[in-house]
Amino acid sequence: MSRERQAVAAAFQFLSRLPVKAELDFSPELLKRSASYYPLVGAVIGLIVWCFAVLASLVLPPLPCAVLTLAVWAWLTGGLHLDGWMDAADALFSYRSRERMLEIMKDSRVGAMGVIACVLLLMLKASLLYIVLDTVLVERNLSSLLLLPMVWSRWFMVHAMKRWPKARNDDGLAARFADMSGGRVGLAVFWAVLVTLGAALGQYFLAGLPTGTSGIGDSSTAGAYIRTFLMYSKDLPIWIGFVLLPLLAYGVGTFAANRVNRRLGGLTGDIYGALNELLETVLLLFIVILYGL
């Protein structure tokens, strides 16, 4: 198996429960190479989640469908990022010293703040999925824009590994991604942008190409242009979303990472997972707002 194929397999094995058959030695070098493909893992997880949502919505009401979709979403990741979210909440909301917060994140036990943060996050995600299934899916069909939260949240993890220092100097998870090359981050950007462009192209075809010129002007060419404009301009907020969501992921992620960096003197593996959960939720919330517009 080539080095890049190993990196792709490592990315899927590390970030998901997808059955990728490969015997890999998860060395720091392989982990850093695999980070370039995190956006692809997000795209595949997103495809599976939304395909399940569509099929489940055929036989179930929106609420149980939303809960089951969220369960599939969490299962696909193995709860990896949720674990980071809970550990980060326990530490950051303890308002202890930097050293004590780092100790709390290393503790395998979950405290009250971690449980509360997890429950609130899952409730918010479930409610957003309910809106998507009850409104978006029924009235406008599934939009490929919904893939982007899973893609850009994982891109930001790669960006964070390169941009901010490590909070610990030991052999923790974050330290294994230390000194990642700029080329690896650039490759992650490439895949995230490529998936976004593919999703936008898919959205174009999902919207339906205009046919015929009935009732619009005397000129068939002019009528076709007018029909095209009317068809796609009504979903203008959704088209804007393909540009705004990556920017929002960068802005919200940078703000959150800077705040954590000031308190911990760097980031940890748990913080990377927490950032992924935060950005998935914020971007999905933003998509629901766009559909409301």
Side-chain angles (χ1 to χ4, degrees):
M1 183 181 292
S2 69
R3 284 164 55 90
E4 290 308 303
R5 289 181 63 187
Q6 285 182 337
V8 175
F12 278 91
Q13 284 189 359
F14 184 62
L15 291 188
S16 76
R17 289 185 177 273
L18 296 173
V20 177
K21 303 294 183 181
E23 293 293 332
L24 302 171
D25 176 21
F26 282 90
S27 63
E29 179 191 2
L30 179 58
L31 283 172
K32 283 183 280 192
R33 283 191 284 116
S34 71
S36 301
Y37 302 99
Y38 283 7
L40 291 182
V41 178
V44 173
I45 289 174
L47 280 171
I48 295 173
V49 166
W50 296 118
C51 286
F52 175 86
V54 171
L55 294 176
S57 67
L58 298 177
V59 295
L60 290 172
L63 185 55
C65 183
V67 174
L68 287 175
T69 299
L70 182 58
V72 169
W73 192 350
W75 179 84
L76 285 170
T77 65
L80 177 66
H81 309 304
L82 280 173
D83 180 70
W85 175 263
M86 290 187 290
D87 287 343
D90 277 334
L92 295 173
F93 290 111
S94 70
Y95 298 101
R96 304 291 182 85
S97 66
R98 171 185 178 274
E99 291 72 21
R100 180 57 182 147
M101 285 191 287
L102 291 175
E103 288 178 8
I104 290 172
M105 278 192 281
K106 291 185 71 173
D107 193 335
S108 60
R109 294 169 296 180
V110 179
M113 290 308 302
V115 173
I116 293 171
C118 183
V119 169
L120 291 176
L121 179 79
L122 293 176
M123 286 177 63
L124 179 56
K125 274 191 170 181
S127 66
L128 294 173
L129 287 170
Y130 171 81
I131 295 298
V132 170
L133 294 167
D134 187 50
T135 305
V136 178
L137 188 61
V138 172
E139 296 182 0
R140 302 192 182 191
N141 298 320
L142 194 63
S143 169
S144 56
L145 186 67
L146 291 164
L147 289 177
L148 300 196
M150 292 82 157
V151 173
W152 285 98
S153 62
R154 284 161 180 79
W155 164 80
F156 191 84
M157 285 198 296
V158 184
H159 173 70
M161 292 170 187
K162 178 66 176 176
R163 169 66 178 79
W164 286 276
K166 310 299 175 286
R168 298 191 184 97
N169 294 321
D170 58 14
D171 59 349
L173 179 61
R176 304 185 76 180
F177 292 94
D179 303 319
M180 183 186 298
S181 69
R184 283 291 151 188
V185 180
L187 187 55
V189 174
F190 168 79
W191 288 118
V193 171
L194 187 64
V195 171
T196 301
L197 292 175
L201 184 62
Q203 181 64 29
Y204 177 84
F205 287 106
L206 282 174
L209 297 175
T211 57
T213 58
S214 174
I216 302 184
D218 296 327
S219 169
S220 60
T221 303
Y225 280 123
I226 294 172
R227 288 172 63 86
T228 301
F229 174 78
L230 292 175
M231 179 169 291
Y232 294 110
S233 64
K234 68 182 177 67
D235 287 331
L236 184 60
I238 305 305
W239 295 110
I240 293 175
F242 285 102
V243 177
L244 291 185
L245 257 69
L247 297 177
L248 184 63
Y250 177 80
V252 173
T254 299
F255 174 79
N258 279 332
R259 292 291 300 271
V260 173
N261 181 57
R262 283 197 292 269
R263 296 188 63 185
L264 298 180
L267 306 185
T268 68
D270 285 326
I271 298 300
Y272 297 150
L275 288 171
N276 179 81
E277 288 292 338
L278 173 67
L279 291 179
E280 277 186 341
T281 306
V282 169
L283 296 185
L284 186 57
L285 174 62
F286 187 68
I287 289 174
V288 171
I289 293 173
L290 284 177
Y291 274 107
L293 297 176

